[in-house]
């Protein structure tokens, strides 16, 4: 990330498990349409990273959105996600999730331990 190592800041984690037959189409939409909109529309995100589980069935997709600090995460990013001008994008997200996702979770985290310093 532009201002320090990944993992130094609080983050929002989206975890998704997909219907295998819809996974490729969902991932294409998610990476090429939805994520660019998220990053562009919510400038308080400090960075975003995606991961895919290995040797796990069903496959789990993770997206980490880092915020500059906790106040930015809770007082800006999470509020901006639900801003009225994002209603269309959020409705599209909900429709895509209902069609293709078998399980999902969105949780915010703050760092409580780091070694080394």
């Amino acid at each position: 990330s532009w201002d320090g190592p990944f993992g130094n800041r609080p983050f929002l984690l989206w975890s998704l498990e997909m219907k295998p037959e819809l996974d490729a189409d969902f991932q294409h939409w998610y990476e090429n349409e939805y994520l660019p909109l998220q990053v562009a529309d919510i400038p308080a995100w400090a960075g975003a990273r995606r991961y895919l589980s290995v040797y796990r069935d069903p496959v789990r997709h993770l997206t980490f959105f880092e915020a500059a600090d906790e106040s930015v995460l809770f007082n800006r990013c999470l509020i901006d996600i639900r801003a009225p001008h994002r209603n269309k994008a959020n409705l599209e997200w909900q429709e895509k999730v209902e069609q293709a996702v078998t399980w999902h979770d969105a949780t915010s985290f703050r760092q409580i331990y780091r070694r080394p310093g």
Side-chain angles (χ1 to χ4, degrees):
S1 192
W2 60 270
D3 67 342
F6 176 76
N8 280 348
R9 292 172 290 278
F11 60 87
L12 172 71
L13 171 62
W14 282 346
S15 306
L16 304 167
E17 292 178 3
M18 313 297 300
K19 295 176 184 173
E21 68 275 14
L22 299 175
D23 191 5
D25 287 341
F26 182 90
Q27 298 309 323
H28 183 270
W29 167 81
Y30 187 66
E31 289 183 6
N32 294 292
E33 295 179 39
Y34 190 76
L35 284 179
L37 175 65
Q38 286 284 88
V39 173
D41 202 30
I42 304 173
W45 291 131
R49 294 183 189 234
R50 294 207 64 220
Y51 293 87
L52 181 67
S53 64
V54 178
Y55 307 121
R56 184 182 193 286
D57 188 27
V59 170
R60 186 167 291 173
H61 299 268
L62 304 177
T63 304
F64 291 83
F65 285 98
E66 286 188 307
D69 57 43
E70 284 185 44
S71 67
V72 169
L73 177 62
F74 297 115
N75 298 320
R76 177 78 191 273
C77 298
L78 297 180
I79 291 170
D80 286 352
I81 287 173
R82 293 169 183 86
H85 75 277
R86 293 188 43 83
N87 286 345
K88 182 180 177 187
N90 291 339
L91 180 59
E92 184 177 16
W93 163 258
Q94 187 62 39
E95 290 171 355
K96 295 280 189 182
V97 166
E98 287 174 3
Q99 293 171 10
V101 175
T102 59
W103 175 87
H104 67 101
D105 181 53
T107 307
S108 299
F109 294 87
R110 76 175 125 206
Q111 188 178 114
I112 59 170
Y113 178 82
R114 182 178 180 99
R115 186 75 181 149

